[in-house]
Amino acid sequence: MGLSIVQRIIAGFVLMLLLLILLGVISTLKIRGINDGLSQVSDRATPLVIAVAGLKGALQDSNRWVLVYRTNEDASQLPQLASQFKEQQARFSQLSQEMDRFSGVAEAGSRFQQVDTATKQFYGLAEQVLSQHSQWVNAQDQRHKLEIAFIRLEDTYQWAADLLLQQTASKRSMRNKAELITSGIARDLKNIRRADAKTDLNELEKVLSKDIEMARKRLDRVLVPDDVKQRFVSNLDRMQELALGQQGLLATMRNAQQLAASLQTLNQQLDASLINSLGLLDEMGQSAGSIASQSRTTADDAVSSASFWILVVAAISAAAALIIGYTTARSIQRPLQMINKELDYMAAGDMTRRINYRSGCEFGSLSRSIDTLAGKTGELLSQINAGSRHLVEEASRAAE
């Protein structure tokens, strides 16, 4: 059974409403996808990139102060430089604590754990470098003071040695013994002055200690006044204390030499740790940038998909509207034309005309009613005509 015109119109409006609802649902879903993508960029990825840049800046500033500290040999300035480093370390620590808010970002948590481990190693090594550099600077200052005292001692020793040689000048055998005593120590003193980072200080200490011990023994066999011997022995004692003591020049030089070697190793480890930490931060930044890029791509895809589906639904709506409008217009126009045509004949007096429009719609009912009316009217007119003829016949008979 076909639909009536009213039913068709209602069905058309319902279909259009459903298409509009579908369009709204598609738009809502796609807009949510766009919002999610943009939110991922604005609320997570971009702040993560900024946070990583802040961590990298704090780490580089920390390393800059370490470099300044490493190249400074003024002990009075080291505490201030160490304070600057501590400030940057505290800044990095504060920024690290703020990274907890990015735990929901893909891979951010695991990558930051690697960064945290690497930077803790860096700051641990940096504190060792600062500590050992401070010790090295103090050792260098102590060495400088001892070298000044050593130069003075060298002068007094040379004076005592010259006096000893003068007192033995009259006897050749005594002169030879005195020269043997003084020449070995003079050679050792010269070697100490020339000592550098490559000098074997242990060997130098061993030789000087042996020469001082031999000088004491041989001095007993040299015939000179006691005051001359005592002056020379006093210089030997002072030399042994200043050069060979636990806080002496050679011990200080050895300590500085060991600290320098240790610092060189620590600096290499520190530079490697810095490179590793910065590399991990760069990877983390690139990962955040990749997340932002993917999110933007997702948002762009959502926009494209929304545009596509909106166009599809709009096209379907337009097609449905055209189809419904065309079919509705046809369902109205065709029966109206048939009805008007037959009514024109009926108006002219031909009540034998029939519309005969078979349909379940309103026009089908109207055409059937008009056909019924035409039939009834035709019968009534036939009866009237028959009555009229009968009256005429009766009148004619009466007139005859």
Side-chain angles (χ1 to χ4, degrees):
M1 182 178 180
L3 295 176
S4 67
I5 295 176
V6 174
Q7 289 174 334
R8 291 180 186 180
I9 294 173
I10 293 174
F13 279 114
V14 171
L15 178 60
M16 294 300 295
L17 178 63
L18 291 177
L19 289 173
L20 289 175
I21 293 173
L22 177 61
L23 182 61
V25 171
I26 292 174
S27 299
T28 301
L29 294 177
K30 296 304 178 181
I31 289 173
R32 185 176 300 173
I34 295 170
N35 287 335
D36 290 342
L38 295 177
S39 175
Q40 187 78 359
V41 174
S42 61
D43 298 341
R44 295 185 178 183
T46 301
L48 179 58
V49 172
I50 296 173
V52 170
L55 287 174
K56 189 175 180 180
L59 185 64
Q60 290 174 330
D61 288 341
S62 298
N63 183 64
R64 179 169 61 86
W65 286 112
V66 171
L67 290 174
V68 174
Y69 193 98
R70 282 161 52 177
T71 55
N72 194 297
E73 297 183 8
D74 187 349
S76 63
Q77 296 182 3
L78 294 183
Q80 182 180 359
L81 297 176
S83 176
Q84 295 288 344
F85 167 76
K86 290 293 184 182
E87 288 181 6
Q88 295 302 323
Q89 185 179 15
R91 176 188 164 205
F92 184 88
S93 178
Q94 181 180 359
L95 292 173
S96 297
Q97 293 176 358
E98 294 176 0
M99 293 298 291
D100 292 339
R101 60 194 176 104
F102 299 110
S103 57
V105 181
E107 299 184 0
S110 60
R111 286 186 179 276
F112 181 70
Q113 287 181 356
Q114 297 176 356
V115 171
D116 188 51
T117 301
T119 52
K120 283 181 179 178
Q121 181 185 22
F122 168 80
Y123 280 108
L125 289 170
E127 290 177 352
Q128 293 182 47
V129 167
L130 265 60
S131 175
Q132 292 201 13
H133 181 76
S134 177
Q135 296 176 30
W136 179 79
V137 170
N138 292 331
Q140 289 293 93
D141 290 345
Q142 182 65 19
R143 175 181 176 177
H144 180 66
K145 294 176 182 178
L146 290 173
E147 284 176 342
I148 294 174
F150 191 78
I151 291 173
R152 294 172 182 170
L153 174 63
E154 198 172 4
D155 292 339
T156 59
Y157 168 77
Q158 191 62 46
W159 182 79
D162 291 341
L163 183 60
L164 181 63
L165 291 173
Q166 289 176 6
Q167 293 295 324
T168 58
S170 59
K171 294 182 180 180
R172 188 173 186 80
S173 61
M174 291 297 107
R175 175 78 178 186
N176 292 336
K177 289 179 181 179
E179 287 179 351
L180 184 62
I181 292 172
T182 58
S183 62
I185 295 178
R187 182 185 64 250
D188 295 338
L189 296 179
K190 185 182 294 185
N191 289 334
I192 291 175
R193 285 200 313 272
R194 294 176 177 175
D196 56 19
K198 297 180 180 180
T199 303
D200 187 350
L201 298 178
N202 291 327
E203 182 64 23
L204 191 58
E205 181 179 7
K206 181 179 177 181
V207 172
L208 178 60
S209 178
K210 181 180 179 181
D211 288 342
I212 291 176
E213 184 181 354
M214 293 298 296
R216 291 180 188 279
K217 292 179 180 180
R218 290 172 179 171
L219 188 61
D220 293 337
R221 297 195 293 272
V222 177
L223 299 177
V224 292
D226 289 341
D227 62 328
V228 176
K229 283 186 178 182
Q230 184 59 39
R231 185 174 287 109
F232 190 80
V233 170
S234 296
N235 278 276
L236 290 179
D237 292 340
R238 176 61 179 156
M239 185 182 301
Q240 188 164 16
E241 178 186 356
L242 187 62
L244 303 177
Q246 291 184 350
Q247 301 298 325
L249 179 59
L250 289 176
T252 302
M253 291 173 65
R254 185 186 303 109
N255 183 36
Q257 197 177 74
Q258 292 172 351
L259 286 171
S262 177
L263 272 173
Q264 184 177 7
T265 302
L266 281 175
N267 286 332
Q268 292 174 351
Q269 294 176 352
L270 182 66
D271 293 340
S273 179
L274 175 66
I275 292 172
N276 181 44
S277 299
L278 290 176
L280 290 173
L281 282 171
D282 286 338
E283 290 178 1
M284 190 172 180
Q286 291 173 0
S287 176
S290 177
I291 293 172
S293 178
Q294 291 176 359
S295 300
R296 284 193 296 269
T297 302
T298 301
D300 292 341
D301 291 342
V303 170
S304 299
S305 178
S307 300
F308 171 77
W309 283 108
I310 289 173
L311 289 175
V312 169
V313 174
I316 293 174
S317 300
L322 289 174
I323 293 172
I324 292 172
Y326 177 76
T327 55
T328 302
R330 288 288 297 171
S331 63
I332 294 174
Q333 182 183 16
R334 183 168 172 268
L336 278 178
Q337 289 177 343
M338 294 178 63
I339 291 173
N340 287 332
K341 180 180 179 181
E342 298 303 325
L343 286 176
D344 288 340
Y345 284 112
M346 292 178 186
D350 186 0
M351 302 303 296
T352 60
R353 304 290 296 186
R354 297 291 181 270
I355 299 174
N356 293 326
Y357 180 72
R358 307 299 180 192
S359 175
C361 67
E362 289 82 352
F363 287 106
S365 299
L366 178 62
S367 67
R368 287 192 294 273
S369 297
I370 292 174
D371 289 343
T372 301
L373 178 62
K376 297 286 187 182
T377 303
E379 291 178 359
L380 180 59
L381 290 175
S382 297
Q383 292 175 2
I384 291 173
N385 289 330
S388 297
R389 285 194 298 270
H390 179 70
L391 289 174
V392 170
E393 291 175 356
E394 289 294 330
S396 296
R397 289 194 195 101
E400 290 177 355

